[in-house]
Amino acid sequence: MSEKRKILVVDDDPDVLEQLSVIITAQGHEVARASSQKEAEDVLMGFHPDLAIVDLMMEHQDSGFVLCHQIRKLYQDTPIILLTAVTAQTGMSFSLQPGAANVWIKADKIMDKPVRAEQLRAEINKLLRIPDAATHGSH
């Protein structure tokens, strides 16, 4: 019933990449995977994702931010989820709240790692405007 969407997943941790891919394919979506900023840039040349999930720190500390900018330049309307373990590792946090000094962050949602499957599914559905089967109709 739901249409298959194309989702780009970028993370330098093979376990996270696999976990995210399993969650997303179980939702019925097509997944393109990349394990670095460079690999993602190559994938984006021939793949227009409906949504992108990008790790913040890969080969460079700002790889995720750079990749978000590149995705926005190529595919302006593609929603982006930025995944990060920075808060857990450093105590630094990023905000997308209005008024925050975040205009340079080109993501639609920032999620802390580890991300729970149900959180990720809900966020994907929200950003792709897919009614959530579990909550749809139970208002």
Side-chain angles (χ1 to χ4, degrees):
M1 185 154 120
S2 67
E3 89 183 65
K4 188 179 242 188
R5 307 290 178 91
K6 298 186 293 188
I7 299 178
L8 173 64
V9 179
V10 188
D11 200 301
D12 60 347
D13 181 329
D15 294 332
V16 172
L17 201 56
E18 181 62 26
Q19 175 194 19
L20 296 174
S21 297
V22 166
I23 293 167
I24 293 164
T25 53
Q27 245 185 312
H29 303 301
E30 177 187 336
V31 176
R33 295 156 51 141
S35 58
S36 69
Q37 176 188 336
K38 172 73 177 107
E39 192 178 329
E41 290 166 353
D42 293 343
V43 168
L44 285 165
M45 290 301 110
F47 182 82
H48 180 165
D50 294 303
L51 182 133
I53 301 172
V54 178
D55 183 25
L56 173 58
M57 294 196 314
M58 291 178 283
E59 60 264 56
H60 305 288
Q61 288 185 327
D62 65 348
S63 288
F65 290 135
V66 172
L67 199 50
C68 287
H69 276 267
Q70 291 169 333
I71 293 167
R72 275 287 180 263
K73 224 191 272 184
L74 287 168
Y75 309 115
Q76 186 175 337
D77 296 330
T78 296
I80 303 169
I81 298 173
L82 188 62
L83 293 182
T84 180
V86 166
T87 305
Q89 292 173 355
T90 68
M92 285 177 49
S93 65
F94 300 99
S95 171
L96 291 177
Q97 297 304 314
N102 62 13
V103 293
W104 54 275
I105 300 176
K106 299 300 181 193
D108 297 283
K109 179 72 179 179
I110 297 175
M111 298 181 79
D112 289 322
K113 286 181 177 180
V115 64
R116 293 193 333 266
E118 60 273 11
Q119 280 180 301
L120 185 63
R121 279 193 293 270
E123 214 43 63
I124 288 170
N125 287 345
K126 182 177 165 190
L127 290 170
L128 292 176
R129 295 181 174 86
I130 299 170
D132 186 12
T135 59
H136 192 61
S138 60
H139 296 285

Coordinates of all heavy atoms in Angstrom, one line a residue, residues 65 68-69 72 82 93-110:
F65 N 28.2 17.4 8.3 CA 27.7 18.8 8.0 C 28.0 19.1 6.5 O 27.1 19.6 5.8 CB 28.4 19.8 8.9 CG 28.0 19.8 10.3 CD1 29.0 19.9 11.3 CD2 26.7 19.7 10.7 CE1 28.6 19.9 12.6 CE2 26.3 19.7 12.0 CZ 27.3 19.8 13.0
C68 N 25.6 17.2 4.3 CA 24.3 17.8 4.3 C 24.2 19.0 3.4 O 23.2 19.1 2.7 CB 23.9 18.3 5.8 SG 23.6 16.9 6.9
H69 N 25.2 19.8 3.4 CA 25.3 21.0 2.4 C 25.2 20.5 1.0 O 24.6 21.1 0.2 CB 26.5 21.8 2.7 CG 26.4 22.8 3.8 ND1 25.9 24.1 3.6 CD2 26.5 22.7 5.1 CE1 25.9 24.7 4.7 NE2 26.2 23.9 5.7
R72 N 21.8 19.2 0.1 CA 20.9 20.3 -0.1 C 21.1 21.0 -1.5 O 20.2 21.5 -2.1 CB 21.1 21.4 1.0 CG 20.3 21.1 2.2 CD 18.9 21.4 2.1 NE 18.2 21.1 3.3 CZ 17.6 20.0 3.6 NH1 17.5 19.1 2.7 NH2 17.0 19.8 4.8
L82 N 20.4 13.9 10.7 CA 21.9 13.8 11.0 C 22.0 13.0 12.3 O 21.4 13.4 13.3 CB 22.4 15.3 11.2 CG 23.8 15.5 11.4 CD1 24.6 15.0 10.2 CD2 24.2 16.9 11.7
S93 N 26.2 19.6 22.2 CA 25.0 19.3 21.5 C 24.6 20.3 20.5 O 25.1 21.5 20.6 CB 23.8 19.1 22.5 OG 23.6 20.3 23.2
F94 N 23.8 19.9 19.5 CA 23.4 20.8 18.5 C 21.9 20.9 18.5 O 21.2 19.9 18.9 CB 23.8 20.2 17.1 CG 25.3 20.1 17.0 CD1 25.9 18.8 17.2 CD2 26.1 21.1 16.7 CE1 27.3 18.7 17.1 CE2 27.5 21.0 16.6 CZ 28.1 19.8 16.8
S95 N 21.4 22.0 18.2 CA 19.9 22.2 18.2 C 19.4 22.7 16.9 O 20.1 23.5 16.2 CB 19.6 23.3 19.3 OG 18.3 23.6 19.2
L96 N 18.2 22.3 16.6 CA 17.6 22.8 15.4 C 16.4 23.7 15.8 O 15.5 24.0 15.0 CB 17.1 21.7 14.5 CG 18.2 20.9 13.8 CD1 17.6 19.7 13.0 CD2 19.0 21.8 12.9
Q97 N 16.3 24.1 17.1 CA 15.2 24.9 17.6 C 15.3 26.3 17.0 O 16.4 26.8 16.7 CB 15.3 25.0 19.1 CG 15.2 23.7 19.9 CD 13.9 23.0 19.5 OE1 12.8 23.6 19.5 NE2 14.0 21.7 19.2
P98 N 14.1 26.9 16.7 CA 14.1 28.3 16.2 C 14.9 29.2 17.1 O 14.8 29.1 18.3 CB 12.6 28.6 16.2 CG 11.9 27.3 16.2 CD 12.8 26.4 16.9
G99 N 15.7 30.1 16.5 CA 16.5 31.0 17.3 C 17.9 30.5 17.6 O 18.7 31.3 18.0
A100 N 18.1 29.2 17.5 CA 19.4 28.7 17.8 C 20.3 29.1 16.6 O 19.9 29.3 15.5 CB 19.3 27.1 17.9
A101 N 21.6 29.2 16.9 CA 22.6 29.6 15.9 C 22.9 28.4 15.0 O 24.0 27.8 15.0 CB 23.8 30.1 16.6
N102 N 21.9 27.9 14.3 CA 22.0 26.7 13.5 C 21.7 26.8 12.1 O 21.5 25.8 11.4 CB 21.0 25.7 14.1 CG 19.6 26.1 14.0 OD1 19.3 27.1 13.3 ND2 18.7 25.5 14.7
V103 N 21.7 28.0 11.6 CA 21.4 28.2 10.1 C 22.4 27.4 9.2 O 22.0 27.1 8.1 CB 21.3 29.7 9.7 CG1 20.1 30.3 10.4 CG2 22.6 30.4 10.1
W104 N 23.5 27.2 9.7 CA 24.5 26.4 9.0 C 24.3 24.9 9.0 O 24.9 24.2 8.2 CB 25.9 26.8 9.5 CG 26.1 26.6 10.9 CD1 25.8 27.4 12.0 CD2 26.6 25.4 11.6 NE1 26.0 26.8 13.2 CE2 26.5 25.6 13.0 CE3 27.1 24.2 11.1 CZ2 27.0 24.6 13.9 CZ3 27.5 23.2 12.0 CH2 27.4 23.5 13.4
I105 N 23.5 24.4 9.9 CA 23.2 23.0 9.9 C 22.1 22.7 8.9 O 20.9 23.2 9.1 CB 22.8 22.5 11.3 CG1 23.9 22.8 12.3 CG2 22.4 21.0 11.3 CD1 23.5 22.5 13.8
K106 N 22.4 22.0 7.9 CA 21.4 21.8 6.8 C 20.6 20.5 7.0 O 20.3 19.8 6.0 CB 22.1 21.8 5.4 CG 22.7 23.1 5.1 CD 21.8 24.3 5.1 CE 22.4 25.6 4.8 NZ 21.6 26.7 5.1
A107 N 20.3 20.1 8.2 CA 19.6 18.9 8.5 C 18.2 19.2 9.0 O 18.0 20.3 9.5 CB 20.3 18.0 9.6
D108 N 17.2 18.3 8.8 CA 15.9 18.6 9.2 C 15.7 18.0 10.6 O 14.8 18.4 11.3 CB 14.9 17.9 8.3 CG 15.0 18.5 6.9 OD1 14.4 19.6 6.7 OD2 15.6 17.9 6.0
K109 N 16.5 17.1 11.0 CA 16.4 16.4 12.3 C 17.8 16.0 12.8 O 18.5 15.5 12.0 CB 15.4 15.2 12.3 CG 15.2 14.5 13.5 CD 14.4 15.3 14.5 CE 14.2 14.5 15.8 NZ 13.4 15.2 16.8
I110 N 18.1 16.2 14.0 CA 19.3 15.6 14.6 C 18.9 14.6 15.6 O 18.1 14.9 16.5 CB 20.2 16.8 15.3 CG1 20.6 17.8 14.2 CG2 21.4 16.1 16.0 CD1 21.4 19.0 14.8

